[in-house]
Amino acid sequence: MTALPGTTGRRRIYLMRHGHVDYFGREIQAAGGDTKVVPLTPLGQHQADAGGHALAHVRFDRALCSGVPRTRQTAERVLAAQTDHPVPELEVEPELIEIHNGRFGEIKSRAELAAKMAYYFELAGEPGATMLEHGEVFVDAERRAIGAIRRLLAEPGWHTALIAAHEGINRLILGWAALGAQGSGLKAVKAFEQDPACINVIDFDMVPNADGSVGTEIQRAIIKAVNVTPYNYFKHGMNMTSLEAIFAKDPR
């Protein structure tokens, strides 16, 4: 089946952010600050498991992650809860890796780091805007992330996919989807929160082929849910922004 049951050409992506990590942890320090090596903390594992429990009834045809430990571990823990369905092989899509940071400059605290990251997200829609000084250009990051989604949607034989990615990349995808998958959504990026291990649900209506089969062109995107956190559905006590929380002291 290549469309959601009851529809003629609709596909669904469950887009997750990875669970909690400690960007100041031993693994990062040992790797000279390389965030690609950072794993989930015990809290992050719990958050991913909660997502897996919430999605246990969903039958995934495809499962993708960006390939770094934190997204791979998140996706694996979600798929481990799939006891009643065949589990798809976890695929790596490197174009969904997080927006590449530039220079942080002098940072005196974790709070200051979170504020600086938030400031650059605020500027994402400006011409030539980058993630921090000399970082990746937001337009380039959007292009590769949306390209990965478009390629997935153009592939036949599936209707429901799991993707485990990152805060920045998810914001870019949600901003684009908010415009109906037409044009750039960079000016909307600042409005989307992505808490650790959150789940977003996006449906895509595909233009049908002449023979009635599911086509490869996106007709529209429908955002069904944003930033759902199964470990705390109503976000009681979650008073920090997602950036403030991820750079806070590891609560282990």
Side-chain angles (χ1 to χ4, degrees):
M1 185 180 294
T2 59
L4 290 172
T7 74
T8 57
R10 184 167 297 158
R11 288 176 165 171
R12 175 167 294 174
I13 292 177
Y14 289 86
L15 177 66
M16 292 189 68
R17 184 192 177 188
H18 61 78
H20 183 270
V21 297
D22 182 7
Y23 287 108
F24 296 84
R26 293 185 300 272
E27 297 87 354
I28 295 287
Q29 295 174 10
D34 185 358
T35 60
K36 292 191 293 293
V37 305
V38 63
L40 297 181
T41 62
L43 174 59
Q45 294 171 11
H46 165 73
Q47 293 168 338
D49 289 343
H53 178 74
L55 296 172
H57 66 291
V58 178
R59 179 169 180 164
F60 295 114
D61 306 303
R62 303 282 296 274
L64 299 84
C65 71
S66 68
V68 295
R70 59 191 184 275
T71 60
R72 182 184 293 276
Q73 291 168 6
T74 298
E76 288 174 344
R77 298 184 87 91
V78 171
L79 293 175
Q82 296 279 296
T83 57
D84 297 329
H85 310 298
V87 179
E89 181 179 354
L90 182 58
E91 308 167 47
V92 171
E93 174 48 80
E95 296 299 329
L96 294 174
I97 198 72
E98 183 59 297
I99 305 169
H100 307 305
N101 291 332
R103 299 172 184 170
F104 287 96
E106 183 180 356
I107 299 294
K108 298 179 180 178
S109 68
R110 293 175 182 238
E112 185 178 338
L113 177 57
K116 191 166 191 176
M117 296 284 286
Y119 171 75
Y120 276 88
F121 273 120
E122 290 277 340
L123 301 177
E126 300 298 323
T130 61
M131 175 46 76
L132 301 176
E133 185 180 357
H134 301 301
E136 184 174 16
V137 178
F138 277 101
V139 170
D140 294 340
E142 181 188 48
R143 184 180 298 114
R144 63 176 170 83
I146 301 312
I149 300 298
R150 287 188 179 278
R151 286 193 299 276
L152 174 63
L153 290 169
E155 294 177 8
W158 70 276
H159 62 67
T160 303
L162 170 71
I163 294 179
H166 306 262
E167 166 144 24
I169 287 296
N170 287 7
R171 287 190 183 201
L172 297 178
I173 294 171
L174 287 165
W176 168 71
L179 297 183
Q182 304 295 327
S184 174
L186 287 176
K187 289 188 179 296
V189 165
K190 61 186 178 182
F192 288 104
E193 280 283 283
Q194 289 291 277
D195 290 314
C198 69
I199 303 169
N200 310 280
V201 184
I202 311 173
D203 286 353
F204 292 90
D205 282 342
M206 309 303 293
V207 176
N209 294 320
D211 62 1
S213 61
V214 177
T216 60
E217 182 182 349
I218 301 170
Q219 185 177 45
R220 66 171 177 165
I222 309 165
I223 299 177
K224 303 282 282 189
V226 175
N227 197 26
V228 178
T229 45
Y231 53 89
N232 187 346
Y233 278 110
F234 299 105
K235 302 186 185 293
H236 177 69
M238 295 174 65
N239 303 324
M240 294 181 177
T241 67
S242 53
L243 285 170
E244 290 168 347
I246 203 67
F247 289 119
K249 186 176 180 180
D250 183 3
R252 284 180 293 185

